[in-house]
Amino acid sequence: MFDSEQLGPVNSRRCPHSTCKSRPLRRPSSDTGKLAAPRRLLASIITRRYPSSFTLAPSRASSRLNLFSRHFDSKPFLELNTPFSTERSAPLEDDQGNLAKPKAPNIAPAEAIKEQTPKKLESREKKPQPVMSSQAPHPALLIPGPIEFDDAVLQSMSHFSESHVGQPFVNTFGEVLSMLRKLFQTSDPASQPFVLSGSGTLGWDQVAANLVEPGDEALVLHTGYFADSFADCLETYGVKATQLKAPIGERPQLHEIEAALSEKAYKILTVTHVDTSTGVLSEIKTLSETVRRVSPDTLIIVDGVCSVGCEEIRFDDWGLDVVLTASQKAIGCPAGLSILMVSGRAIETFKARKARPTSYFGSWKNWLPIMQNYEAKKASYFATPSPQLIHALHTSLTQILSRPLAQRFEDHKAASQKIKKAVTSLGLKQLASKPENQANGMTAIYLPDGITPPDVLPSLMKKGVIFAGGLHKEIAAKYIRFGHMGVSVTDSKRPDINKAIESLKDSLVEVGYKAD
């Protein structure tokens, strides 16, 4: 290794090369700051080993960061269709409409931290944490999806890699499709379950790409943010979407729907069974009866992302055409699967299209034969599925169907009533004020005046509970959302629900709220 002392007084040394022995080495003067090439190399080596007074060239990282920062502009050229951008930038207002200054974080001064004795710190470290199954300790995830997962479901995700066209996996996939028929309560051989890699949103694209064509009319029943998004998806595919809106916390009434259906012919009607932004539950059975009576050719499309697995759905008995959902909510499987049940009538509508489907990946022309073959236990291929997620879904569906569905729905209803009773006892209100509009898998709770989600969510997290903030862009800063689905409800050994209720009470007290 080189040592700085080896440089020594330059004038006392001469270049060792035979061609320049007579030329003394000279140290560059301080005013020029230039080194000969060999010495610059030597200096750079020394600097890396022994950082000293050598000056490095200015870094170009700042210019690259400036480029990155353009992607994080608070006002992008194209506004995102999500309330979260509004949530982050929306100013909070007090009761008089004045801008409210954000509260300073409650951070202890450095001196106070230093004064803590090792004994106190040790006692904090040894504080027992609640045990939740055999998973690593973590806060209970009680948002409206994703939800807590059963150990066996997560273990299924670690299934060894296998061929997606091998018979063992084909058998598993086929059983998944058969079990989905039982979950949706359909025995009609003309209906068809679909399971594609993707989020619940992919279900919207499948409906828009396969069942309607540019210029077709769609009636979208609005109970919250997700109706806006479904309408936006339909319009992306050239469909004319008409929204029938209800006030926040309400749902369109049957006489309003009947009047709308009487005005023009709609190819499809969409309804969000449970809108995750408001916790509003739509009544599907009577809605379907109304549509069948007034506009029998209109296909009935149910967005069941936050309802399948915790709310009753009778696909055949209620005459539904599509129910779309996702894996990560009440079904209790990690996110990544778009799940649909499609009626024989909808399949025939698809086959009668005048134009080819307006999506390639989401086209039923590609997926229908694949699903039919998988269900018949025949290997088939269009695009690679996720074997690990399919195994996890298989495990979750096996657990769900191991006892009567009616009992599962009753368990969710009982847990929901317990939570809503606790919310009322605290003097709080729900977005869905009428019992018939209240979902059984989640509760959207208005916070007391002057209290916002950032005031209570961190406190809940410290207590081992995770709730979600508001999602409806008009009132996002005024409420929180409590998800109660899946194993947190059905597993009697889990303390999730009771713990969440107590944590909510304590967190509100900590910010100065006193129930009446």
Side-chain angles (χ1 to χ4, degrees):
M1 286 296 178
F2 294 99
D3 189 278
S4 58
E5 292 297 323
Q6 293 176 348
L7 292 178
V10 177
N11 290 336
S12 64
R13 301 177 63 192
R14 295 182 177 274
C15 179
H17 296 89
S18 59
T19 59
C20 54
K21 285 184 178 179
S22 62
R23 294 158 61 183
L25 292 175
R26 297 184 180 275
R27 183 185 298 277
S29 61
S30 58
D31 58 333
T32 63
K34 298 181 180 179
L35 292 173
R39 301 202 65 180
R40 284 205 307 270
L41 175 62
L42 180 60
S44 66
I45 297 172
I46 296 170
T47 303
R48 293 173 187 172
R49 183 66 179 174
Y50 302 100
S52 59
S53 60
F54 288 99
T55 302
L56 299 177
S59 172
R60 299 174 64 186
S62 59
S63 61
R64 290 195 295 271
L65 287 174
N66 289 335
L67 291 176
F68 293 150
S69 67
R70 297 177 187 175
H71 297 283
F72 299 99
D73 191 343
S74 60
K75 294 183 178 179
F77 174 68
L78 291 176
E79 292 293 337
L80 297 178
N81 181 32
T82 169
F84 287 116
S85 57
T86 305
E87 270 188 79
R88 295 190 183 108
S89 59
L92 300 181
E93 298 179 353
D94 59 20
D95 296 335
Q96 286 73 41
N98 301 316
L99 292 180
K101 295 182 179 180
K103 297 179 180 179
N106 185 17
I107 303 175
E111 293 77 7
I113 297 175
K114 290 180 181 179
E115 290 176 1
Q116 289 184 347
T117 62
K119 190 173 293 185
K120 287 184 179 179
L121 293 175
E122 184 179 351
S123 64
R124 286 186 180 182
E125 294 173 355
K126 291 184 178 181
K127 186 177 181 180
Q129 297 294 323
V131 178
M132 293 174 54
S133 71
S134 61
Q135 300 169 31
H138 64 279
L141 186 59
L142 297 173
I143 64 176
I147 66 170
E148 286 290 326
F149 302 129
D150 185 80
D151 289 358
V153 172
L154 293 182
Q155 289 164 4
S156 297
M157 286 290 292
S158 64
H159 192 281
F160 56 81
S161 186
E162 62 182 336
S163 170
H164 56 289
V165 293
Q167 196 58 46
F169 175 71
V170 171
N171 292 342
T172 300
F173 206 138
E175 291 171 4
V176 162
L177 297 173
S178 296
M179 286 190 284
L180 284 173
R181 290 183 178 275
K182 296 178 181 178
L183 177 61
F184 286 89
Q185 302 190 73
T186 174
S187 57
D188 184 356
S191 62
Q192 181 60 52
F194 289 79
V195 179
L196 276 63
S197 295
S199 70
T201 306
L202 180 58
W204 296 341
D205 283 87
Q206 291 184 67
V207 169
N210 294 287
L211 294 180
V212 283
E213 302 185 49
D216 283 346
E217 299 279 353
L219 180 61
V220 179
L221 304 186
H222 186 286
T223 54
Y225 163 73
F226 289 95
D228 289 328
S229 297
F230 204 160
D232 188 31
C233 176
L234 291 167
E235 291 170 348
T236 300
Y237 286 83
V239 177
K240 298 177 182 178
T242 300
Q243 292 198 56
L244 182 57
K245 295 191 175 185
I248 295 175
E250 300 285 342
R251 64 190 186 199
Q253 299 302 298
L254 290 177
H255 70 274
E256 297 173 324
I257 299 169
E258 182 172 345
L261 290 172
S262 300
E263 290 177 359
K264 66 172 72 173
Y266 289 99
K267 185 72 169 291
I268 63 172
L269 174 145
T270 74
V271 57
T272 309
H273 198 181
V274 173
D275 195 297
T276 318
S277 71
T278 58
V280 170
L281 172 70
S282 293
E283 171 55 51
I284 303 300
K285 182 176 182 292
T286 55
L287 169 64
S288 178
E289 292 171 350
T290 300
V291 176
R292 292 282 186 170
R293 175 174 54 83
V294 179
S295 183
D297 293 332
T298 300
L299 298 178
I300 303 168
I301 314 298
V302 179
D303 179 340
V305 170
C306 197
S307 68
V308 174
C310 62
E311 304 283 358
E312 183 176 34
I313 295 177
R314 293 184 173 273
F315 192 83
D316 288 352
D317 293 346
W318 296 351
L320 307 178
D321 291 299
V322 175
V323 177
L324 62 94
T325 190
S327 54
Q328 78 275 12
K329 301 213 176 192
I331 289 179
C333 174
L337 295 176
S338 173
I339 301 168
L340 288 84
M341 185 61 68
V342 182
S343 72
R345 186 172 77 141
I347 295 293
E348 292 305 314
T349 299
F350 160 70
K351 291 180 178 180
R353 288 181 62 90
K354 298 175 183 178
R356 64 184 297 171
T358 47
S359 169
Y360 181 68
F361 178 76
S363 171
W364 290 349
K365 179 182 178 182
N366 295 321
W367 283 114
L368 180 58
I370 303 299
M371 294 298 128
Q372 291 172 335
N373 284 341
Y374 269 135
E375 197 166 8
K377 309 291 179 65
K378 296 178 181 179
S380 193
Y381 173 75
F382 163 61
T384 307
S386 170
Q388 282 67 35
L389 278 172
I390 295 298
H391 278 288
L393 179 58
H394 186 281
T395 300
S396 180
L397 290 173
T398 300
Q399 293 177 343
I400 290 173
L401 297 172
S402 65
R403 61 196 191 109
L405 285 175
Q407 183 61 55
R408 180 179 181 85
F409 300 142
E410 187 58 36
D411 288 347
H412 280 84
K413 185 176 182 179
S416 179
Q417 291 177 342
K418 179 179 182 177
I419 291 165
K420 290 167 171 60
K421 182 178 179 181
V423 168
T424 301
S425 68
L426 286 171
L428 304 178
K429 297 180 180 179
Q430 300 177 52
L431 271 65
S433 58
K434 299 176 182 177
E436 63 269 25
N437 293 344
Q438 296 171 356
N440 292 306
M442 67 164 290
T443 304
I445 309 166
Y446 277 118
L447 291 170
D449 291 340
I451 298 176
T452 62
D455 295 328
V456 295
L457 294 181
S459 177
L460 286 167
M461 171 75 83
K462 292 178 182 179
K463 294 173 175 57
V465 174
I466 300 177
F467 281 6
L471 185 58
H472 196 295
K473 58 185 177 183
E474 294 181 22
I475 53 171
K478 296 182 178 181
Y479 75 107
I480 57 176
R481 296 174 296 143
F482 180 171
H484 32 88
M485 293 174 267
V487 292
S488 292
V489 169
T490 59
D491 186 349
S492 59
K493 297 179 182 179
R494 298 181 71 103
D496 300 355
I497 301 303
N498 291 333
K499 179 179 179 180
I501 293 173
E502 292 303 316
S503 297
L504 177 59
K505 292 179 182 178
D506 294 342
S507 296
L508 289 172
V509 170
E510 288 175 7
V511 294
Y513 174 71
K514 294 181 180 180
D516 295 335

